[in-house]
Amino acid sequence: MSTSIEESSPVLPSPAERLGAATAGPVHAPGDGGFDLSVASFNTATAHRPAAVLVASSAADVAAAVGIAAAAGLSVAVQATGHGAAATGPGSILINTRLLDSIVIDPQAGTATVGAGVRWQQVLDAASPHGLAALCGSATEVGVVGYTLGGGIGPVARTYGFAADHVIEIEVVTADGQLRRVSETSEPDLFWALRGGGAAFGIVTQITFRLFPIQTVYAGGMFFDFLDAPRVLHGWRDWVHRIPESVSSSVAVVNFPPLPVLPEALRGRTVLHLRYAHVSETEDGEELLAPLRALAEPIIDTVTEIMYADVGSIHADPTDPMPGAERSMLLRRLPAEAIDEFLATVGPAGGLPLVLAEIRAMGGALARGAEVPNAVAGRDAAFSLFAVGVLAPPIADVVPGALDSVLSAMEPWGTGGALMNFAGGAEGAPADRVRAAWGPQERRRLSEIRDRFDPNGLFAAAARW
């Protein structure tokens, strides 16, 4: 009597079943009730379709999931908020870190230790009662860990540098399933690479970083009619070469939709948004800003003294999920002809379907290396260019090309590189620009460390280069 293959072959447990047996956090497979919510990203254009998703409840859960993925020949991706997530497919396990939300503020040491699911606004609110501040990004609903691993350039970056420059210790699960605590003295190569090299080396579950004694900043934005943009932007370009490190600033051409939630003066208009932040107890922020206020009459002027915990109001980035595409590049210089080309390309005459095109002044503390060297790239750039479009009908198909045309127009003044957190996609030209921001020696060192800690490319789905 013969036995069929179907009867004799064992039925192997699915990735979700294996995760469920080995971890404490919720596990979902495609089709489960919690699957879509657990894989959802802030950028709704990112459609994750992993074999399974684990909402990790501990570092031990992360380590177990990494071991299961490696044994099954699957890759591993990770996200907290999904602001910069790259889409994953059925060959991956996705680890959602939103439950790793612990925050410990040490007022005496002036540090914060936070889990991988924590967002910047949570840290700002926890540190503020102690008179301390964190080097968050312009959008304070972004996750702390992803932002910091990519370098982290925020509203006061010219004063304090990149967020990664002030990391003290990182807890990370590497491809061998080990939970490591890395620092200047423990696994120094991995510590160097994680701070600026992104998520290519492991899954960070906790991070400790310095806080700063900042309670208030003189900060906000001025919105100008686009007709005044040439005068203001040329004036801003001259002004940023004279400002002290206590000042950080950017300018953006913004196309506002005609939505009732917006101030009436901005609805349906193209404007120039000038952002400003000043941190100092000895200099006068209002006096330093005065030359720009004299250039033209703003439609709206919100620059005033604010609590640092409200620093997200400077850029006033969107807080609701949306389908978006991004492109970025670093600029070596910004001569007058570059300003003219920028305005002609991204202004109404260019006709591009853009939400925003920004030029951010670098220099200051950003140009200096960290006290403990790290892998942050782009310190030699004078400016960073960033453009965003919404991938919604009927313009979705033309947005990527429009974004590329902005970079093409500014290419004569570019370095060839881009900051990791602004680059856009994880493959193709955006990833090439991330790689190009490092010098040959740094690229070799990063590749060697990546090969050492992830020889089989387990974290390729989480990497940005």
Side-chain angles (χ1 to χ4, degrees):
M1 178 177 176
S2 62
T3 303
S4 69
I5 295 176
E6 289 80 3
E7 292 174 334
S8 60
S9 298
V11 177
L12 298 176
S14 69
E17 290 170 333
R18 279 173 275 178
L19 286 171
T23 62
V27 175
H28 302 286
D32 289 356
F35 181 84
D36 289 343
L37 180 62
S38 297
V39 302
S41 295
F42 178 85
N43 184 348
T44 58
T46 301
H48 290 303
R49 289 294 178 264
V53 55
L54 164 69
V55 185
S57 64
S58 66
D61 273 3
V62 175
V66 167
I68 288 168
L74 300 172
S75 63
V76 178
V78 61
Q79 77 170 18
T81 65
H83 278 76
T88 60
S92 293
I93 287 174
L94 178 66
I95 299 177
N96 185 312
T97 62
R98 70 169 185 260
L99 296 182
L100 305 182
D101 57 358
S102 63
I103 302 175
V104 177
I105 305 297
D106 185 334
Q108 283 70 43
T111 63
T113 299
V114 308
V118 173
R119 302 174 185 229
W120 277 117
Q121 191 62 54
Q122 295 171 278
V123 183
L124 296 178
D125 292 341
S128 183
H130 304 287
L132 296 171
L135 299 184
C136 61
S138 59
T140 56
E141 288 303 309
V142 166
V144 171
V145 166
Y147 167 88
T148 304
L149 297 184
I153 176 172
V156 296
R158 278 178 41 84
T159 308
Y160 296 100
F162 290 94
D165 295 346
H166 303 283
V167 173
I168 299 169
E169 185 180 75
I170 297 173
E171 182 183 88
V172 58
V173 175
T174 46
D176 56 6
Q178 286 194 46
L179 179 64
R180 305 170 187 257
R181 291 186 181 275
V182 302
S183 65
E184 180 183 6
T185 57
S186 174
E187 305 275 16
D189 280 349
L190 185 55
F191 188 57
W192 175 85
L194 283 167
R195 294 172 300 135
F201 310 94
I203 297 181
V204 170
T205 54
Q206 184 175 278
I207 190 167
T208 300
F209 50 89
R210 296 186 190 91
L211 301 172
F212 296 87
I214 312 169
Q215 291 184 298
T216 64
V217 288
Y218 186 74
M222 293 189 293
F223 296 88
F224 296 92
D225 188 276
F226 190 79
L227 292 175
D228 293 320
R231 184 186 317 121
V232 174
L233 195 46
H234 279 283
W236 178 84
R237 181 191 74 92
D238 296 336
W239 172 82
V240 293
H241 292 300
R242 303 191 304 269
I243 56 175
E245 291 186 7
S246 58
V247 173
S248 300
S249 183
S250 67
V251 288
V253 173
V254 186
N255 294 304
F256 281 108
L259 298 177
V261 296
L262 294 170
E264 186 175 356
L266 300 178
R267 293 176 198 165
R269 295 181 69 169
T270 297
V271 300
L272 183 73
H273 186 196
L274 190 153
R275 294 82 169 263
Y276 178 86
H278 175 258
V279 188
S280 176
E281 294 182 357
T282 59
E283 298 165 336
D284 188 326
E286 187 171 5
E287 182 179 336
L288 288 166
L289 182 63
L292 296 185
R293 278 194 165 130
L295 291 172
E297 184 70 25
I299 302 167
I300 296 175
D301 184 344
T302 68
V303 183
T304 187
E305 187 172 4
I306 63 172
M307 296 297 296
Y308 187 85
D310 297 325
V311 72
S313 66
I314 299 173
H315 287 238
D317 288 339
T319 57
D320 294 330
M322 65 171 63
E326 305 169 353
R327 297 288 189 275
S328 180
M329 66 186 295
L330 293 167
L331 303 177
R332 196 173 304 283
R333 57 194 184 94
L334 193 68
E337 56 267 32
I339 294 290
D340 294 337
E341 184 67 26
F342 175 75
L343 291 174
T345 303
V346 306
L352 298 181
L354 304 177
V355 173
L356 172 149
E358 176 197 66
I359 298 175
R360 189 176 300 214
M362 295 184 65
L366 293 168
R368 295 192 293 274
E371 182 179 333
V372 177
N374 59 32
V376 172
R379 295 184 189 272
D380 59 338
F383 299 90
S384 177
L385 171 69
F386 177 59
V388 182
V390 174
L391 297 174
I395 62 171
D397 291 341
V398 298
V399 165
L403 295 171
D404 290 335
S405 70
V406 176
L407 269 59
S408 296
M410 300 299 287
E411 191 65 39
W413 305 283
T415 69
L419 296 175
M420 183 180 297
N421 288 347
F422 295 116
E427 299 176 343
D432 291 341
R433 281 189 286 270
V434 170
R435 280 188 286 267
W438 289 300
Q441 183 176 347
E442 288 77 18
R443 282 200 301 272
R444 281 194 299 271
R445 186 179 180 189
L446 284 165
S447 294
E448 289 168 358
I449 295 170
R450 188 172 179 178
D451 290 343
R452 191 191 321 162
F453 286 97
D454 187 15
N456 298 315
L458 189 70
F459 300 118
R464 308 300 299 179
W465 55 276

